[in-house]
Amino acid sequence: MVNVTKTFLPPLEEYQNLLKKIWENEWLTNRGQFTLELEEKLKIYLGLDNILITNNGTIPLQIALKLLGNNGEIITTPFSYVATTSSIIWENCKPIFVDINEDFLTIDETKIENAITPNTTAILATHVFGNPCHIEEIEKIAKKHKLYIIYDAAHCFGVKYKNQSIFKYGTISTCSFHATKIFHTGEGGAIISNDKELTKKIYYSHNFGHDGPLNFHGLGINAKISELQSAMGITVLNHIDTILKKRKEVVDYYNTNLNLNKLKIIKIRENTEWNYSYYPIILSSENKLLEVQKELNIHNIFPRRYFYPSLNTIKYVNGEKMPISESISSRVLCLPLYAGIDSSDLKKIVSIVNKTIC
Amino acid sequence: MVNVTKTFLPPLEEYQNLLKKIWENEWLTNRGQFTLELEEKLKIYLGLDNILITNNGTIPLQIALKLLGNNGEIITTPFSYVATTSSIIWENCKPIFVDINEDFLTIDETKIENAITPNTTAILATHVFGNPCHIEEIEKIAKKHKLYIIYDAAHCFGVKYKNQSIFKYGTISTCSFHATKIFHTGEGGAIISNDKELTKKIYYSHNFGHDGPLNFHGLGINAKISELQSAMGITVLNHIDTILKKRKEVVDYYNTNLNLNKLKIIKIRENTEWNYSYYPIILSSENKLLEVQKELNIHNIFPRRYFYPSLNTIKYVNGEKMPISESISSRVLCLPLYAGIDSSDLKKIVSIVNKTIC
C-alpha cells in the first residue's frame, strides 16, 4: 500500500539513546532538557532569533488569535487545512474569506483590501504547501490598515524566501510538526514571533500565564510539549538533509515524467527555496480527479484530496462563495511524496495518472 | 533533594518494547494502536463506558466549556489550579466564584444557588486533591436550574465515590495525565461524558470536527495525543496498584506521625475511596507556612504552595472576595508525596514540620 505520506522514523537506537537520558533526568514535560535543546537546534538550523515549540500545530494559531485577533474579523484564505478557519471561530473571531490566486494557490492579495472593515484585526494567510504568499503586498496592506499578519506556515519547515526563513515574515508564524510533516515530533508545532514584546507574551500564554510558580502574567493555556515528543524531534532533525534530498528526488521525478500538458501543478513563487512538502496536481475536472483517484486506489495507491473542501463551504462556517478556491479544491489531488518511496511505485503512479488524464 | 512530587517511570525496557511496535506500525498519532489500547484498558480499570484521552488535561476543560458553556456565566471554585479559571475565560465565558467549604476544600454547595443568574450555563467544580464535591447537592441544584455540571477531576485518577468511578458523575468530567499525576502519559488528559450524544460531539471536537477525511460534523480543535504518550500510559498503568499502595503508605505515615493537633488536613468526604494524590497541610497562618517552608528548604526539601493564589485574586481575573479560599490558599502547603520516597526523608519532613509548628 502506498499512502500520500509516510512518517519518517529515525533509527530506533537513536531515539532510545535519548530516552535513556529522559529516564535519568526523570523529567517528562514543562520545558525539559530536550525541549530546550530542540529549540536551540531549530534556531540554528532555521536561522531564527526565537521559536517556541508546542504540543501541536493548532495551538499556536489559537494563541496568535487570542493575542492579536481581539474578537474581530480575520481576513483569511478558504484554501487551507480546516485548522486555519476553525481556530478563528474557536477563538471567537470571524473568518472573512478572500479567494485565492489560481497559480500560486495562496490568498489573492489584490482582493484583500476590499474585504477590510473597521472590525478587521488581522490577516491570517497560509503559505500553501510551503509556497509563500505575496509577502510584500500583504505587508503593505497590513501596514496601511494597521492589521496584524499571522502566517499559517504549517507546511513550511525549511522554506526560505529571499534567503531567510519564511518564519521571519509576518507578526507571527506558526508551524506544524505533525507526524506527516517533513520535520516532526509525532504531534507538535511551533510559534515564531518577530516582535520582542509579543514573544514574551506568547511564552507566558503557552504555560497558563505562569510567571514563576506563584504569579501570573496574564491569561494562558497549556501548549507544552512532552520530552518524548521533543526527543523525537531531535532525532528527526539529525536526518533532515537526507529527508529533503530524497523528497526533492521524488518531486523531480514527478516534474519530469508526469504529462504536465494535461494537468496543472503549483507555481512556486520567485525567490523561494521550497521544501518539497507536497505534490498537488490539479485535474481538469472533479470527475477526472475521481477517475484518477479510483485508478490509483485499485492499485493500492492512496493520494489525498487536500485541501478539500474549500473552507468557506463547510456547514458551520457558511462563508461567501469563493469560486477559484472551490474550483481548485474540487480538482486537487496530492500524490504520494515521502523520503523512501519505492521508485517502482513512483513509476506506477506516473503511468496511471498519465494514462487516465489522456 | 526531595520535591513535592516525582514522576513515576516504569522500567525503561517495558517502554522500549512498546516503542518497537510503534516503529513497526510507523504510526505516531491520530488514534493509533496504543491510544486505542490505553482507552480500552482505562475503561476496564476505571469501570467506565467511555473515555477519550487527549494531549493534556486542559484541552478537555476547553472542549467541555465550548460545548456546554455557551459564552455564559460559569459558577466555579476559587480553590483549584489556574487551568480551571483560565479555561473559562479562554473559552469566552465568565467565571462566577463561589467560596469553598473549609473542611472539604471543595466548592460550598450551600452558596451556589445565590450565585445563579439567568446567564448561568454551567457549574465547573473541582474535586480538590481528589476529594469529591458534594455531588448529590450539586446535582439537585443543576437539575432545578437546568445547568450542566463539569467536574474538573484533574486529581481524581482512581477515586471512587459510592462504589463507582468519580468520573461517572456530572455532565462531563475531565482528568489530567500530567507527569506529576498518579497515572500519567508525560503530558495528557481525558474527558469523560455521561451522555451518549455529547460523547459523540466530544469525539468530533477533539479532532477538528472531522467526520471522515472530507466531511465535518462541526467545530473542532486538535486534542489528539501521540502514540509516544499513550505508550507511556500503558506502561505506567501496569504499575498502578504498586503506585497507589506506596502512596497510601506515605499518607498513613504522615497521618500517624504529624502533630495533627497543631495543623489541619483535608477532610475526605464519606463514601469515598481516595487515591492519596496530595498531602496538603493547612497551617495556622501564612507566616507559619513560610516558616515551615523555609525550614524544609534548608534541608533541601521542597513542598509546594498549592493551590496558591486563590483564583479570584489573580489580576486578570479580578473576582469578588472569597474569604475562606483566600485564607486557606495562604496557609496550605502540599508535602512531598510519591511512590518511592525515602523513609528517612519522610522522618525528616515530619520532624521539621512538627518542630516548627510547636
Side-chain angles (χ1 to χ4, degrees):
Chain A
M1 191 169 80
V2 182
N3 274 321
V4 64
T5 189
K6 188 167 159 179
T7 297
F8 173 84
L9 284 164
L12 181 53
E13 304 74 55
E14 289 183 25
Y15 187 72
Q16 283 177 329
N17 283 337
L18 299 199
L19 264 191
K20 279 180 207 151
K21 284 197 197 159
I22 295 177
W23 255 250
E24 281 167 30
N25 295 343
E26 298 179 321
W27 194 265
L28 276 171
T29 182
N30 290 44
R31 300 184 66 66
Q33 174 188 343
F34 290 127
T35 301
L36 300 179
E37 188 177 321
L38 181 57
E39 285 182 353
E40 288 310 309
K41 288 190 162 163
L42 290 176
K43 278 200 265 181
I44 292 165
Y45 179 74
L46 299 168
L48 298 171
D49 301 322
N50 76 80
I51 186 167
L52 182 78
I53 63 178
T54 56
N55 55 356
N56 63 46
T58 303
I59 206 111
L61 286 172
Q62 296 179 257
I63 290 174
L65 288 159
K66 190 63 92 190
L67 290 173
L68 306 180
N70 202 19
N71 301 337
E73 292 176 4
I74 312 291
I75 307 269
T76 191
T77 174
F79 191 68
S80 187
Y81 181 60
V82 66
T84 316
T85 293
S86 62
S87 297
I88 293 173
I89 298 173
W90 192 283
E91 293 309 329
N92 209 40
C93 297
K94 188 179 175 193
I96 303 294
F97 294 101
V98 165
D99 213 344
I100 58 170
N101 176 296
E102 65 179 335
D103 296 322
F104 297 114
L105 308 184
T106 49
I107 194 167
D108 185 344
E109 63 282 354
T110 67
K111 294 178 180 159
I112 289 178
E113 282 205 273
N114 249 344
I116 294 173
T117 78
N119 299 323
T120 309
T121 52
I123 299 166
L124 168 45
T126 300
H127 300 309
V128 173
F129 302 130
N131 194 26
C133 298
H134 195 318
I135 285 175
E136 294 79 6
E137 197 53 38
I138 291 176
E139 262 175 25
K140 213 186 290 172
I141 297 165
K143 205 169 173 184
K144 181 174 159 193
H145 296 273
K146 298 203 171 101
L147 303 176
Y148 297 111
I149 305 170
I150 303 166
Y151 282 122
D152 183 340
H155 294 167
C156 293
F157 189 88
V159 171
K160 284 187 179 178
Y161 181 66
K162 294 197 172 165
N163 295 315
Q164 63 174 356
S165 169
I166 187 89
F167 300 144
K168 287 211 150 191
Y169 300 93
T171 322
I172 284 179
S173 289
T174 68
C175 191
S176 165
F177 299 161
H178 185 265
T180 55
K181 299 295 188 288
I182 292 177
F183 167 79
H184 75 85
T185 56
E187 280 280 352
I191 183 163
I192 303 101
S193 155
N194 295 302
D195 173 307
K196 269 203 171 169
E197 273 310 300
L198 188 57
T199 301
K200 269 193 230 166
K201 282 189 193 166
I202 291 167
Y203 179 82
Y204 288 125
S205 294
H206 106 292
N207 183 20
F208 299 110
H210 270 297
D211 182 14
L214 304 180
N215 292 307
F216 293 92
H217 176 273
L219 183 62
I221 203 170
N222 184 1
K224 289 172 294 170
I225 192 167
S226 77
E227 288 287 279
L228 300 169
Q229 292 160 285
S230 295
M232 176 62 81
I234 288 172
T235 54
V236 172
L237 193 61
N238 289 336
H239 298 270
I240 194 71
D241 292 338
T242 313
I243 295 170
L244 285 167
K245 185 172 156 279
K246 288 191 174 176
R247 296 181 77 104
K248 182 177 183 312
E249 287 167 9
V250 180
V251 168
D252 288 344
Y253 184 87
Y254 281 141
N255 280 343
T256 311
N257 294 287
L258 282 169
N259 183 352
L260 297 186
N261 295 319
K262 295 281 187 177
L263 52 78
K264 215 179 127 171
I265 58 171
I266 191 170
K267 185 173 170 188
I268 301 297
R269 207 174 288 275
E270 264 185 49
N271 298 312
T272 303
E273 283 177 51
W274 192 43
N275 63 356
Y276 318 101
S277 48
Y278 291 86
Y279 200 91
I281 58 172
I282 300 161
L283 286 307
S284 56
S285 69
E286 184 162 21
N287 279 338
K288 192 50 88 179
L289 174 146
L290 294 171
E291 219 180 299
V292 171
Q293 187 182 30
K294 192 176 149 193
E295 283 303 315
L296 288 169
N297 289 174
I298 287 168
H299 291 83
N300 247 333
I301 295 161
F302 297 92
R304 182 174 176 200
R305 296 192 69 173
Y306 190 68
F307 304 112
Y308 178 89
S310 185
L311 297 172
N312 57 303
T313 67
I314 293 178
K315 222 189 243 171
Y316 71 85
V317 176
N318 194 22
E320 282 182 36
K321 286 254 166 246
M322 294 286 132
I324 300 170
S325 174
E326 288 172 43
S327 169
I328 300 275
S329 280
S330 72
R331 296 183 286 124
V332 65
L333 198 62
C334 283
L335 295 183
L337 168 53
Y338 49 86
I341 189 168
D342 270 5
S343 58
S344 64
D345 287 327
L346 279 180
K347 228 179 208 169
K348 209 193 291 173
I349 293 166
V350 164
S351 146
I352 292 168
V353 172
N354 282 345
K355 211 174 67 188
T356 317
I357 60 178
C358 268
Chain B
M1 192 169 79
V2 180
N3 273 321
V4 64
T5 188
K6 188 168 160 179
T7 297
F8 173 84
L9 284 164
L12 182 55
E13 304 74 54
E14 290 184 24
Y15 187 72
Q16 284 178 330
N17 284 336
L18 300 198
L19 263 192
K20 280 181 206 147
K21 284 196 196 160
I22 294 178
W23 255 248
E24 281 165 32
N25 295 344
E26 298 179 322
W27 195 265
L28 276 172
T29 181
N30 290 45
R31 299 185 64 69
Q33 174 188 338
F34 290 126
T35 301
L36 301 178
E37 188 176 322
L38 181 57
E39 283 181 356
E40 287 313 309
K41 288 191 162 161
L42 289 176
K43 278 199 266 182
I44 293 166
Y45 179 75
L46 299 167
L48 298 172
D49 302 322
N50 77 81
I51 185 167
L52 182 78
I53 62 177
T54 55
N55 55 355
N56 62 47
T58 304
I59 206 113
L61 286 172
Q62 295 179 257
I63 290 174
L65 288 159
K66 188 66 91 189
L67 290 172
L68 307 179
N70 204 21
N71 302 336
E73 291 177 4
I74 312 291
I75 307 268
T76 192
T77 173
F79 192 67
S80 187
Y81 181 59
V82 66
T84 316
T85 293
S86 62
S87 296
I88 294 173
I89 298 174
W90 191 284
E91 294 308 328
N92 210 38
C93 297
K94 189 179 175 193
I96 303 293
F97 294 101
V98 164
D99 213 344
I100 60 171
N101 177 296
E102 66 179 333
D103 296 322
F104 298 113
L105 308 185
T106 50
I107 194 167
D108 185 343
E109 63 281 354
T110 67
K111 294 178 179 160
I112 290 178
E113 280 204 274
N114 249 343
I116 294 174
T117 78
N119 299 323
T120 309
T121 52
I123 298 165
L124 167 45
T126 300
H127 300 310
V128 173
F129 304 129
N131 194 27
C133 298
H134 195 315
I135 285 175
E136 294 78 8
E137 198 54 38
I138 291 175
E139 262 174 25
K140 212 185 289 171
I141 296 165
K143 206 170 174 184
K144 180 173 161 196
H145 296 272
K146 298 201 172 99
L147 302 177
Y148 297 112
I149 305 169
I150 304 166
Y151 283 122
D152 183 339
H155 293 166
C156 294
F157 190 88
V159 170
K160 285 186 176 176
Y161 180 67
K162 293 194 172 167
N163 295 315
Q164 64 174 356
S165 169
I166 187 89
F167 300 144
K168 289 211 150 191
Y169 300 94
T171 322
I172 284 179
S173 288
T174 69
C175 191
S176 166
F177 299 162
H178 185 266
T180 54
K181 300 293 189 289
I182 291 177
F183 167 78
H184 74 87
T185 57
E187 279 280 349
I191 182 163
I192 302 101
S193 154
N194 295 303
D195 172 308
K196 268 203 173 170
E197 273 310 300
L198 188 58
T199 301
K200 270 194 228 164
K201 282 190 194 166
I202 290 167
Y203 179 82
Y204 288 124
S205 294
H206 106 292
N207 182 22
F208 299 110
H210 270 295
D211 182 13
L214 305 181
N215 293 308
F216 293 92
H217 177 274
L219 184 63
I221 204 171
N222 185 1
K224 290 172 295 172
I225 192 168
S226 78
E227 288 286 277
L228 300 170
Q229 292 160 285
S230 294
M232 176 62 81
I234 288 172
T235 53
V236 173
L237 193 61
N238 289 337
H239 299 270
I240 194 70
D241 292 340
T242 313
I243 294 169
L244 286 167
K245 185 173 156 280
K246 287 191 174 175
R247 295 182 76 105
K248 182 177 183 311
E249 288 167 8
V250 180
V251 168
D252 287 345
Y253 184 87
Y254 282 140
N255 280 344
T256 311
N257 294 287
L258 282 170
N259 182 352
L260 299 185
N261 295 321
K262 296 279 185 175
L263 52 79
K264 216 179 126 171
I265 59 171
I266 191 170
K267 185 174 172 187
I268 301 297
R269 208 173 287 274
E270 262 185 52
N271 298 310
T272 303
E273 283 178 49
W274 191 46
N275 63 356
Y276 317 100
S277 47
Y278 293 85
Y279 201 92
I281 58 173
I282 300 162
L283 286 307
S284 57
S285 69
E286 185 164 18
N287 279 339
K288 192 50 88 179
L289 175 145
L290 295 171
E291 217 180 304
V292 170
Q293 187 182 28
K294 193 177 148 194
E295 282 303 314
L296 289 168
N297 289 175
I298 286 169
H299 291 82
N300 247 335
I301 295 161
F302 297 92
R304 182 173 176 201
R305 296 191 69 172
Y306 192 67
F307 304 115
Y308 177 89
S310 185
L311 297 173
N312 58 302
T313 67
I314 294 178
K315 222 191 242 173
Y316 71 85
V317 176
N318 195 19
E320 281 180 38
K321 287 252 165 246
M322 293 287 133
I324 299 169
S325 174
E326 288 171 44
S327 167
I328 299 276
S329 280
S330 72
R331 296 183 286 125
V332 64
L333 198 62
C334 283
L335 295 183
L337 167 53
Y338 49 87
I341 189 169
D342 270 6
S343 59
S344 65
D345 287 326
L346 279 179
K347 226 179 208 172
K348 209 193 293 174
I349 293 165
V350 165
S351 145
I352 292 168
V353 172
N354 282 345
K355 210 174 66 188
T356 316
I357 60 178
C358 268

